Amino acid sequence: MVHTGACVASLLGQGGSKRYGITWRWLRFFKNDRDRRDLIVCGSAAGIAAAFRAPVGGVLFALEEMASWWRTSLLWRAFFTTATVAIFLRAMIDVCLSGKCGLFGKGGLIMFDAYSASISYHLADVPLVFILAIIGGLLGSLFNFMTNKVLRMYNVINEKGIICKLLLACLISIFTSCILFGLPLFASCRPCPPDAVEPCPTIGRSGIYKKFQCPPHYYNGLASLIFNTNDDAIKNLFSMNTDNEFEFSSMLIFFIICLSLSILSCGIVAPVGMFVPIIVTGASYGRMVGILVGKRSNLCHGLYAVLGAASLLGGSMRTTVSLCVIMLELTNNLLLLPLIMMVLLVSKSVANVFNANIYDLIMKAKGLPYLETHAEPYMRQLTVGDVVTGPLQVFNGIERVRNIMFILRTTTHNGFPVIDEPPGLEAPVLFGIILRDHLITLLKKKTFLPTPAANNYDVLRQFSSDDFAKKGSTERLKIEDIHLTEEEMGMYIDLHPFTNASPYTVVETMSLAKALILFREVGLRHLLVIPKIPGISPVVGILTRHDFMPEHILGMHPFLVRSRWKRLRFWQTFLEKILSGL
C-alpha cells in the first residue's frame, strides 16, 4: 500500500498519463522536483492510512521514513491526505456492511477495539517485557541480515532475465504451498473449548477454530493460524481471553514458518510486502513468550503478542514514533503506550548495534544514494575539497553548439557551471549553473545565434513553463534524439537567460559534515564548490549525492575505515573492563 500510494502520487506529479488518457491541465503545476517529492510523501502516508486505518500513524511514518526534509506545509498536506483517506474508508465500510463487497470491511487489518477492555500491569511485569524487547531486537537484526543476503542472491538471479524472475517466484510459491498445507497434518487436534465466543469449528474463511482434518468438535491450532488471511491471523494472536487456544509447539512452528517465508519471499516479482509479515511473525513470537511465562505475569498472551510485534518491527524497521502510534491506532488502547514505547526504544537500540534498518539495507543493495539524517564522525575530519572529483565540465556564458553537444554526449552529468570572462578582470567569474534537461530543451528549440553576441532576455518569450518543467519518465528527451546540421553545430547559444544565477555554493575548506547538513536540509541536487583563494577557475567542482556516500568517501580515503569504528571499539573495551572486574 505504501508503494501503491507513492506510485499514484508519482503519476500525478508527472502530469498524469497521456498514454492512458488520464491527465488534466491543472496537474502541470506539480511538474517540479519539490512538489513531486511532496506528493510522493503524501501518497506513502495515504498508503499507511489505508492499510491500517491509522491516519496519524501514516503522517508520522512519512515524517520518519519517507521524507528527506520536512516542512510545515508538507505536514498539513500529509495530514489532510490521511484524514481524507480515513473518512473515505469509513464511508466505504458503511456501504459494504451488507456483505456485497466480499471481505472488504471485515478484514484488511481493521483491528479497532481489539483491546477495548481495561488492562493492568505491574512493576514486576516490566523486566519480562524488557527481555522480550531485547530478544525482539536481536531477531529483528537477524531478519535484516538474512533478508539482505537473500536480496543480493535474488538480484543475481533477476538480472538473468524475466524467465528467471518468473521461475524464482513459481518455486517460492510451490515451496510455500507445500509447507503451509503439509505441516498442519502433523499438528494435533484439540477439543473445542466449552466457552468459545464463536462457533467451533469455525464456519467460513475467518475465525480461530479451523477444523482441517480433525473430527467433529475438534480444531487444529496450527491450521487456525495458517489457513487465515494475515489480518485474521493477527486478530487471533492479538485477541484477549484466548490464552488456552494455541499450543506452544504450534506457535513455535508458526513462528519459524513466518520468519523463513518472510525472508524467502522478499525480493521476488510479486508484491508480497514486508510490514504485515513482520507483524505476524512478531505476534507469534510474543505469544510464545506469553505461553512460556504463563501465570507468572499479569499480562495475557494477546498483550504479549502486541508487544512481540512491536519489538520485531522496532528491531527490523527501526522506526519508533510512527510504529508506536500505528500500534495504538490498531489496538485502540492508550494504556499500552508506556509498554510499547519501552519495547520500541529497547529493540531499536539493540538492533542498531548489529546493522542498519531494513529500508537502508534494501536501498544500499539497489545502489540508491540515500543520505542519512546525520553525518558520520569521520566526515568532520574532511573538507569538501577532499571528496570533489574531476574532471569538471564548464560552459561559457555564450557557448558554441558543437561544444555543448560534445560534452552532453560524452558525460552523464546533470548540472554544469556557467562562467563568464568580463572585460577588465584577469580571471573568469562564476555566473551560475544550468541543468542537462534545460540544455537539451534549448538544443531542441534551436535558439541559436550566428555570432557569439549576447542575446537579450526577450528570447524567454519563445518558451513556456512547460518547456522547462520536470519531465515524466516517458517524455524525457535524450541527447541522442537531437539531430543538427553542420551549419547549426557551428552556431552559438546564449546561456545567460536560462542559467540559475544564484546557486548554493560552499568554500572548498568547509567541513564535509556541515556541507552534508546543508545539502540535505535544503534538498539540493548540486552544490558548487568554489576556491578559497581566487585562481584560474572560479569553481573547483560540484558535490552531488554520490560524493556524500560512505563508499565513495572511504574509497578515496581508506585510512578512515579503521577510525570509523573508533567509538564502538571504545565501548567494547569499556564493557570488557567491567566484565573482567566482575
Side-chain angles (χ1 to χ4, degrees):
M1 291 300 296
V2 173
H3 280 93
T4 302
C7 289
V8 172
S10 179
L11 184 66
L12 293 175
Q14 294 182 25
S17 173
K18 293 182 179 179
R19 178 183 301 177
Y20 299 106
I22 47 176
T23 182
W24 296 274
R25 185 173 178 82
W26 59 269
L27 287 175
R28 69 183 188 276
F29 296 109
F30 299 100
K31 296 179 70 173
N32 58 81
D33 280 330
R34 170 169 289 187
D35 285 331
R36 282 189 66 184
R37 288 195 299 264
D38 289 357
L39 277 174
I40 292 173
V41 170
C42 293
S44 64
I48 289 288
F52 301 105
R53 220 174 81 183
V56 180
V59 175
L60 294 176
F61 181 84
L63 165 63
E64 200 166 2
E65 282 296 330
M66 296 298 298
S68 297
W69 40 88
W70 194 261
R71 305 187 312 280
T72 305
S73 60
L74 183 56
L75 175 64
W76 72 259
R77 288 175 181 175
F79 189 77
F80 174 80
T81 304
T82 56
T84 305
V85 169
I87 294 172
F88 185 77
L89 270 178
R90 170 55 63 185
M92 291 298 297
I93 291 171
D94 291 340
V95 171
C96 294
L97 285 178
S98 59
K100 297 180 180 179
C101 303
L103 294 179
F104 182 78
K106 298 179 180 179
L109 276 178
I110 298 171
M111 292 181 292
F112 278 72
D113 300 325
Y115 274 96
S116 57
S118 298
I119 61 171
S120 61
Y121 53 89
H122 304 285
L123 187 62
D125 300 319
V126 175
L128 293 174
V129 175
F130 191 82
I131 295 174
L132 178 144
I134 293 176
I135 299 176
L138 296 174
L139 289 174
S141 62
L142 175 64
F143 176 85
N144 291 1
F145 174 78
M146 296 301 298
T147 303
N148 187 39
K149 295 295 184 182
V150 170
L151 283 174
R152 293 184 181 276
M153 180 179 64
Y154 285 175
N155 286 340
V156 176
I157 299 175
N158 292 336
E159 288 175 355
K160 296 182 179 180
I162 189 65
I163 301 298
C164 294
K165 292 181 180 180
L166 295 176
L167 286 176
L168 176 62
C170 291
L171 289 175
I172 297 296
S173 177
I174 294 171
F175 176 75
T176 301
S177 301
C178 294
I179 291 294
L180 296 184
F181 280 91
L183 287 178
L185 294 173
F186 301 97
S188 60
C189 297
R190 306 189 68 189
C192 292
D195 56 345
V197 295
E198 61 181 60
C200 181
T202 299
I203 301 174
R205 294 184 59 180
S206 61
I208 300 178
Y209 310 105
K210 293 289 185 181
K211 182 180 178 181
F212 197 54
Q213 302 293 334
C214 296
H217 306 294
Y218 280 79
Y219 72 97
N220 189 314
L222 184 57
S224 300
L225 294 170
I226 290 178
F227 295 111
N228 258 324
T229 57
N230 278 337
D231 47 300
D232 287 325
I234 295 173
K235 284 183 181 180
N236 296 341
L237 293 171
F238 280 11
S239 58
M240 300 180 69
N241 302 320
T242 57
D243 290 0
N244 300 320
E245 310 301 333
F246 303 104
E247 294 178 326
F248 179 79
S249 58
S250 298
M251 198 58 60
L252 177 61
I253 294 173
F254 184 67
F255 168 73
I256 295 174
I257 291 174
C258 290
L259 185 64
S260 303
L261 294 182
S262 299
I263 295 172
L264 288 176
S265 60
C266 182
I268 63 174
V269 286
V272 294
M274 187 178 296
F275 207 98
V276 175
I278 291 178
I279 293 181
V280 179
T281 308
S284 58
Y285 155 67
R287 272 272 178 171
M288 284 196 304
V289 174
I291 295 173
L292 290 175
V293 172
K295 300 296 183 180
R296 291 187 292 273
S297 174
N298 297 308
L299 306 179
C300 67
H301 296 177
L303 180 54
Y304 273 110
V306 175
L307 298 177
S311 68
L312 199 59
L313 284 170
S316 59
M317 299 189 174
R318 314 291 165 82
T319 53
T320 51
V321 181
S322 59
L323 279 180
C324 185
V325 174
I326 289 173
M327 297 301 293
L328 288 178
E329 290 183 292
L330 289 179
T331 57
N332 198 27
N333 198 321
L334 197 60
L335 296 175
L336 294 176
L337 179 61
L339 290 179
I340 294 178
M341 289 175 62
M342 186 187 75
V343 166
L344 288 172
L345 289 172
V346 172
S347 61
K348 179 181 184 297
S349 302
V350 170
N352 278 338
V353 176
F354 299 96
N355 49 34
N357 69 67
I358 187 63
Y359 298 126
D360 288 350
L361 292 176
I362 291 175
M363 285 189 291
K364 185 176 180 180
K366 290 181 177 292
L368 301 177
Y370 179 76
L371 296 180
E372 295 292 342
T373 56
H374 60 278
E376 295 288 346
Y378 58 83
M379 289 186 179
R380 300 186 182 94
Q381 307 175 31
L382 299 173
T383 64
V384 294
D386 295 328
V387 298
V388 169
T389 57
L392 180 65
Q393 302 291 343
V394 299
F395 289 124
N396 293 313
I398 302 175
E399 187 62 78
R400 189 183 291 270
V401 175
R402 189 186 308 277
N403 295 341
I404 297 176
M405 291 288 292
F406 175 77
I407 292 177
L408 292 182
R409 285 175 176 172
T410 55
T411 64
T412 58
H413 305 329
N414 286 316
F416 300 90
V418 177
I419 61 175
D420 266 340
E421 297 183 6
L425 294 180
E426 297 181 357
V429 296
L430 176 65
F431 182 80
I433 186 172
I434 191 168
L435 302 180
R436 169 181 286 266
D437 290 342
H438 296 177
L439 287 170
I440 295 178
T441 300
L442 295 178
L443 293 173
K444 179 185 176 183
K445 288 283 188 176
K446 298 184 178 181
T447 55
F448 304 149
L449 299 173
T451 60
N455 201 349
N456 54 30
Y457 281 78
D458 292 339
V459 70
L460 291 175
R461 297 178 181 177
Q462 303 178 21
F463 298 87
S464 65
S465 59
D466 290 339
D467 294 326
F468 296 103
K470 184 73 174 180
K471 299 294 189 297
S473 56
T474 59
E475 300 176 355
R476 182 166 297 174
L477 280 175
K478 298 180 180 179
I479 189 61
E480 292 77 13
D481 301 327
I482 304 297
H483 302 285
L484 301 176
T485 64
E486 188 64 28
E487 180 183 358
E488 291 171 336
M489 295 284 278
M491 301 178 76
Y492 298 86
I493 297 180
D494 186 3
L495 302 179
H496 293 102
F498 311 99
T499 301
N500 177 11
S502 57
Y504 281 89
T505 61
V506 293
V507 183
E508 60 180 341
T509 55
M510 185 179 187
S511 168
L512 185 62
K514 291 182 179 180
L516 172 63
I517 296 173
L518 172 64
F519 193 92
R520 192 180 188 281
E521 293 297 327
V522 182
L524 302 178
R525 288 293 179 266
H526 306 92
L527 184 61
L528 297 180
V529 180
I530 60 177
K532 185 177 180 64
I533 301 175
I536 300 176
S537 176
V539 58
V540 175
I542 298 180
L543 289 176
T544 62
R545 283 175 174 260
H546 169 75
D547 298 303
F548 292 104
M549 292 294 104
E551 295 79 9
H552 171 71
I553 299 172
L554 297 177
M556 294 183 64
H557 305 281
F559 67 92
L560 294 174
V561 175
R562 297 186 62 185
S563 65
R564 185 183 184 187
W565 305 105
K566 189 176 295 182
R567 183 181 302 176
L568 182 60
R569 292 201 304 271
F570 168 77
W571 283 108
Q572 184 179 1
T573 307
F574 180 70
L575 291 175
E576 289 175 354
K577 290 182 179 180
I578 294 178
L579 293 176
S580 61
L582 295 177

